[in-house]
């Protein structure tokens, strides 16, 4: 029986410092849960001037990655530097050397997850990644273990705190997008490249990981339709409110006739839906299983301690597996590798949704009838419509909600409508979900 579990930590940035702090702060508590202490043997960090978290001495710091991935004393390698390379190379070397790996690297898993899952299974080591999706919310464990009796039907997630913070500021304070983005950057929520947050890429990375483990299918990240929030204006948010909807950047996945809808985009969701009440930097995942029905997981999706909480929980899980000789008990991608079935991800043209349109039109007779005529020809049925203001001969917004329609039809109809001489600006289109 081992009398301790040894950790090699790669990276002492935000997440790495959170991991070190939790391991030091809750050392005794974790030992009571695990039976033996968790010890950080080495930390790889390029910046030797970086201040050290409490409980970490200078001697454990190294700039030589081999002292982690090739160190016979290290049981678990923890990768928290993020990004593609060198992180991927470090993880693969660690796996080759028989180390178990814990990572929070969402971008890498979204793009190269299959290669890493396969490498870990082949080498017979554990690969855990709770910290990659929604920071402190144990959503991976919930899907892989807590909901393993269920056929997962749908997932609606607010999985990017920065964009949710921006949408909340725009909704509650009527701020313009740029101003709200500036505030989120000042508070340090945004990724190094905020494009990842505001253009939905970070959310798509996380959705790709969730789809993979929820539906038991490899996911080609490029197939996930991704649209960000930079085109949303306070005007659309206030019109949505008049229809009793809120606008949120949602990561959506649904099983439909043996194929999958997987998409990230701004979405109108009923204001009294549980996920619509998730504001600020908080994240939430609303997931429905055939046996359990709807469930909601809520919490902090970013920050040193929430992300550290997820990473340390993974370390404890792997340590338990080591101590009980049960490595591989839970497959990394949740399904047995040979039982995973490649499912088709529908293109955005094939999805079925309801829609919000804001037309900018000349205020004159017969405009509405021409627009509704084109929509009708494309099998799009109107649920409600309001004209905002009255400006004879001038431009006014015409706001419309539709019943369910196929996106291909919607795109063709809008192309035709936007060519009408009475339509003065490109029509704003936002998808609408009831979230069931
Ligand atoms: N930039 C991410 C967010 C951090 O805003 O949610 C956590 O992945």
């Amino acid at each position: 029986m081992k009398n301790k579990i040894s950790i090699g930590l790669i990276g002492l940035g935000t997440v790495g410092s959170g991991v070190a702090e939790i391991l030091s702060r809750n050392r005794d508590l974790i030992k009571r849960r695990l039976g033996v202490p968790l010890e950080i043997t080495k930390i790889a960090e390029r910046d030797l001037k970086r201040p050290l978290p409490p409980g970490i001495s200078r001697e454990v710091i190294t700039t030589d990655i081999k002292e982690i991935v090739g160190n016979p004393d290290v049981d678990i390698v923890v990768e928290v530097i993020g990004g593609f390379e060198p992180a991927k190379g470090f993880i693969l070397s660690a796996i080759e050397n028989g180390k178990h790996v814990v990572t929070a690297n969402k971008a890498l898993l979204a793009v190269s997850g299959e290669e890493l899952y396969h490498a870990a299974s082949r080498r017979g080591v554990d690969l855990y990644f709770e910290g990659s999706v929604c920071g402190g919310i144990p959503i991976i464990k919930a899907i892989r273990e807590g909901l393993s009796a269920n056929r997962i039907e749908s997932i609606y997630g607010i999985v990017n705190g920065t964009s949710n913070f921006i949408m909340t500021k725009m909704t509650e304070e009527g701020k313009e997008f740029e101003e709200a983005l500036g505030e989120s950057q000042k508070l340090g929520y945004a990724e190094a490249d905020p494009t990842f947050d505001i253009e939905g890429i970070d959310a798509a990375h996380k959705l790709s990981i969730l789809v993979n483990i929820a539906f038991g299918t490899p996911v080609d990240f490029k197939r996930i339709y991704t649209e960000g929030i930079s085109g949303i204006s306070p005007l659309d948010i206030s019109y949505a409110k008049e229809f009793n909807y809120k606008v949120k950047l949602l990561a959506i996945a649904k099983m439909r006739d043996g194929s999958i809808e997987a998409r990230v985009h701004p979405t109108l969701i009923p204001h009294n839906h549980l996920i619509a009440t998730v504001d600020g930097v908080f994240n939430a995942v609303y997931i429905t299983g055939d046996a359990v029905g709807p469930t909601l997981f809520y919490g902090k999706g970013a920050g040193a301690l929430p992300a550290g909480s997820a990473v340390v929980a993974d370390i404890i899980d792997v340590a338990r597996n080591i101590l009980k000789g049960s490595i591989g008990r839970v497959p990394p991608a949740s399904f047995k590798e040979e039982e995973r079935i490649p499912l088709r991800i529908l293109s955005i043209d094939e999805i079925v949704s309801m829609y919000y349109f804001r037309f900018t039109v000349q205020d004159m007779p017969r405009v509405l009838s021409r627009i509704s005529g084109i929509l009708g020809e494309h099998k799009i049925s109107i649920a409600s419509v309001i004209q905002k203001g009255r400006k004879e001969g001038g431009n006014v917004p015409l706001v419309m909600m539709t019943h369910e329609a196929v996106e291909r039809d919607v795109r063709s109809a809008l192309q035709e409508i936007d060519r009408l001489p009475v339509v003065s600006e490109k029509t704003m289109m936002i998808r609408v979900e009831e979230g069931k």
Side-chain angles (χ1 to χ4, degrees), residues 101-396:
V101 173
V102 170
T103 175
N105 196 329
K106 51 209 165 168
L108 179 61
L109 288 164
V111 175
S112 304
E114 289 307 312
E115 190 183 342
L116 301 179
Y117 304 151
H118 185 65
S121 301
R122 206 181 41 218
R123 188 65 178 79
V125 296
D126 271 343
L127 171 64
Y128 277 51
F129 44 88
E130 186 64 69
S132 63
V133 181
C134 296
I137 307 174
I139 188 64
I140 307 262
K141 195 171 181 80
I143 294 174
R144 276 205 300 219
E145 299 182 51
L147 298 175
S148 59
N150 287 262
R151 182 178 294 279
I152 303 297
E153 292 173 348
S154 62
I155 299 173
Y156 292 89
I158 292 182
V159 297
N160 181 268
T162 305
S163 51
N164 200 40
F165 174 87
I166 294 172
M167 292 308 301
T168 305
K169 284 275 159 191
M170 290 173 73
T171 304
E172 289 180 356
E173 297 169 31
K175 292 209 158 119
E176 289 292 338
F177 170 78
E178 291 296 340
E179 195 186 347
L181 169 64
E183 241 180 271
S184 80
Q185 283 174 308
K186 257 187 241 141
L187 291 165
Y189 297 141
E191 293 289 298
D193 177 357
T195 321
F196 272 46
D197 294 304
I198 59 180
E199 296 308 342
I201 302 159
D202 178 73
H205 285 148
K206 293 165 180 165
L207 183 65
S208 160
I209 296 169
L210 293 181
V211 168
N212 197 319
I213 62 167
F215 299 110
T217 180
V219 175
D220 176 359
F221 176 68
K222 294 189 288 303
R223 297 275 311 165
I224 297 187
Y225 176 80
T226 306
E227 187 184 308
I229 57 169
S230 52
I232 299 290
S233 72
L235 195 66
D236 294 306
I237 293 174
S238 72
Y239 294 159
K241 195 172 169 194
E242 290 186 32
F243 288 105
N244 291 325
Y245 284 87
K246 264 188 164 181
V247 187
K248 292 284 184 190
L249 181 72
L250 290 191
I252 301 170
K254 295 179 197 178
M255 187 62 114
R256 190 154 64 84
D257 305 328
S259 297
I260 289 175
E261 282 192 15
R263 45 194 166 98
V264 172
H265 51 71
T267 312
L268 263 68
I269 184 99
H271 72 107
N272 56 359
H273 191 287
L274 279 175
I275 205 144
T277 63
V278 175
D279 284 330
V281 280
F282 276 87
N283 283 194
V285 183
Y286 185 89
I287 177 162
T288 302
D290 67 339
V292 71
T295 58
L296 180 71
F297 299 85
Y298 171 89
K300 285 186 183 158
L305 293 177
S309 161
V311 172
V312 173
D314 273 354
I315 296 172
I316 294 171
D317 260 355
V318 176
R320 284 177 169 147
N321 291 346
I322 295 172
L323 294 168
K324 287 286 178 196
S326 55
I327 293 301
R329 190 182 69 84
V330 184
S334 171
F335 285 63
K336 296 288 289 174
E337 212 179 343
E338 61 282 9
E339 297 293 340
R340 298 169 74 230
I341 301 170
L343 298 172
R344 197 168 84 85
I345 295 187
L346 297 173
S347 75
I348 193 69
D349 270 351
E350 297 169 284
I351 71 146
V352 176
S353 175
M354 297 175 296
Y355 293 84
Y356 159 100
F357 300 137
R358 174 171 51 82
F359 303 104
T360 307
V361 294
Q362 284 172 29
D363 191 6
M364 57 191 336
R366 293 192 55 228
V367 170
L368 181 57
S369 70
R370 290 181 74 180
I371 290 178
S372 58
I374 294 174
L375 292 173
E377 280 158 26
H378 288 86
K379 304 185 284 288
I380 301 158
S381 156
I382 299 165
S384 48
V385 58
I386 40 173
Q387 174 178 330
K388 302 302 294 179
R390 173 90 172 109
K391 222 189 273 174
E392 249 173 296
N395 288 328
V396 283

Side-chain angles (χ1 to χ4, degrees), residues 411-427:
R411 286 177 185 246
S412 316
L414 291 186
Q415 264 178 16
E416 210 173 303
I417 290 168
D418 283 354
R419 281 198 299 264
L420 293 174
V422 290
V423 174
S424 1
E425 275 176 31
K426 190 174 180 320
T427 298

Side-chain angles (χ1 to χ4, degrees), residues 2 4-8 37-41 73-77:
K2 287 170 86 74
K4 67 168 189 185
I5 296 291
S6 159
I7 295 157
L38 291 175
E39 297 219 339
I40 298 185
T41 303
D73 291 336
V74 167
D75 299 300
I76 304 172
V77 170

